[in-house]
Amino acid sequence: MNTVLHKADTRGDANHGWLQSKHSFSFANYHNPERMHFGVLRVLNDDIVAPGMGFGTHAHQNMEIISIPMEGDLEHKDSMGNTTVIKSGDIQVLSAGTGITHSEYNKNKDKKVKFLQIWVFPKKKNVTPRYDQITLNVKDRKNQFQQVLSPNPEDPGVWIHQDAWFNMTNLGKGKSLSYSLQNPERNGVYAFVLNGDATINNQPLNKRDGFGIWNTATVDIIADTDAEILLMEIPMNS
């Protein structure tokens, strides 16, 4: 088993006034040659957007972009004609493919919006751009894994053009879970602790710590406090 630990306070830090962002991997003005990506997981940004503010229209190409809102309401508009709002419990996916433009704004004037922005390299380039979002029942992840993303349109959650599986869980203190990789020969897992403290494969972790694991078939989690965790299984090579 191989591992890499990214403590929360070692992430890149960007404060633009209207946007506070923590970067688990190199992004924009944060460049760390040892933290360019984890397998095909290219970006994991932990964003807080001020009331009424947001990202103006900008372009993407050949990237799978996943947004997971944690708090507040995020309004999305894109060149495919979609105008939507996502909130806690939703998962949004954008396959940029041959190219799209979009904007993201905090819909509310009186409270912040907090969300994770995740980029995954696709296994196929220049696909037709697509958009999707779903609302999940958060209760279905209590002390168990809830699949929120996969490569398969017929599976639970959203799907992307990559052999990746994302799962979320809300574990009560003292509870444990074991995750079996879909493809242990090729894939690794990047665990991100959203809230609380947990021990994953004997590594103690705290809120917003990231922990990459590969060359293993299973990932074992013990909640040291009530804990919320995102597990991302992704290919280690594109």
Side-chain angles (χ1 to χ4, degrees):
M1 183 180 74
N2 299 89
T3 64
V4 61
L5 175 63
H6 296 149
K7 296 295 289 181
D9 60 3
T10 67
R11 296 177 295 171
D13 188 10
N15 189 338
H16 301 286
W18 65 273
L19 169 68
Q20 298 175 48
S21 185
K22 298 284 190 179
H23 309 314
S24 292
F25 303 103
S26 294
F27 187 85
N29 293 327
Y30 169 62
H31 181 77
N32 182 338
E34 295 183 356
R35 288 171 67 162
M36 296 303 297
H37 58 91
F38 178 81
V40 300
L41 176 61
R42 173 61 189 89
V43 168
L44 173 55
N45 287 351
D46 190 359
D47 291 343
I48 302 175
V49 180
M53 303 300 287
F55 304 87
T57 301
H58 56 284
H60 293 283
Q61 190 173 4
N62 287 322
M63 193 67 72
E64 302 293 303
I65 301 168
I66 302 101
S67 296
I68 304 179
M70 309 304 295
E71 185 181 307
D73 304 302
L74 187 69
E75 184 172 25
H76 164 98
K77 295 182 180 179
D78 64 43
S79 53
M80 293 177 283
N82 298 297
T83 300
T84 61
V85 176
I86 56 173
K87 57 189 66 180
S88 180
D90 293 345
I91 304 287
Q92 178 198 77
V93 64
L94 191 64
S95 297
T98 54
I100 55 94
T101 60
H102 76 139
S103 62
E104 299 160 291
Y105 279 89
N106 184 343
K107 187 173 176 61
N108 299 306
K109 306 295 184 185
D110 59 346
K111 57 184 178 181
K112 297 176 180 178
V113 65
K114 301 178 182 181
F115 75 107
L116 300 180
Q117 182 177 174
I118 301 167
W119 296 6
V120 174
F121 290 119
K123 65 178 180 180
K124 185 189 305 182
K125 289 190 174 183
N126 298 320
V127 300
T128 301
R130 57 177 283 271
Y131 176 89
D132 194 19
Q133 74 177 73
I134 60 170
T135 299
L136 300 162
N137 185 349
V138 177
K139 293 179 181 178
D140 290 344
R141 65 185 69 153
K142 181 66 176 176
N143 294 324
Q144 62 184 355
F145 291 119
Q146 180 185 44
Q147 183 173 288
V148 301
L149 177 147
S150 80
N152 308 308
E154 64 274 13
D155 281 2
V158 294
W159 67 275
I160 63 171
H161 295 282
Q162 185 52 272
D163 295 324
W165 289 264
F166 288 12
N167 284 267
M168 300 180 76
T169 184
N170 291 336
L171 275 180
K173 181 180 179 180
K175 297 290 186 179
S176 61
L177 280 177
S178 183
Y179 175 80
S180 297
L181 275 72
Q182 301 277 350
N183 189 343
E185 281 75 37
R186 185 176 181 223
N187 291 356
V189 168
Y190 194 84
F192 191 59
V193 181
L194 299 171
N195 286 296
D197 303 321
T199 298
I200 299 182
N201 284 24
N202 298 314
Q203 173 65 54
L205 299 168
N206 309 113
K207 181 178 178 178
R208 288 330 204 238
D209 287 352
F211 187 48
I213 310 160
W214 67 106
N215 289 332
T216 186
T218 58
V219 174
D220 297 315
I221 304 171
I222 301 172
D224 302 316
T225 67
D226 290 350
E228 184 179 4
I229 298 165
L230 169 64
L231 285 188
M232 295 170 278
E233 177 183 344
I234 42 86
M236 293 306 293
N237 298 294
S238 56

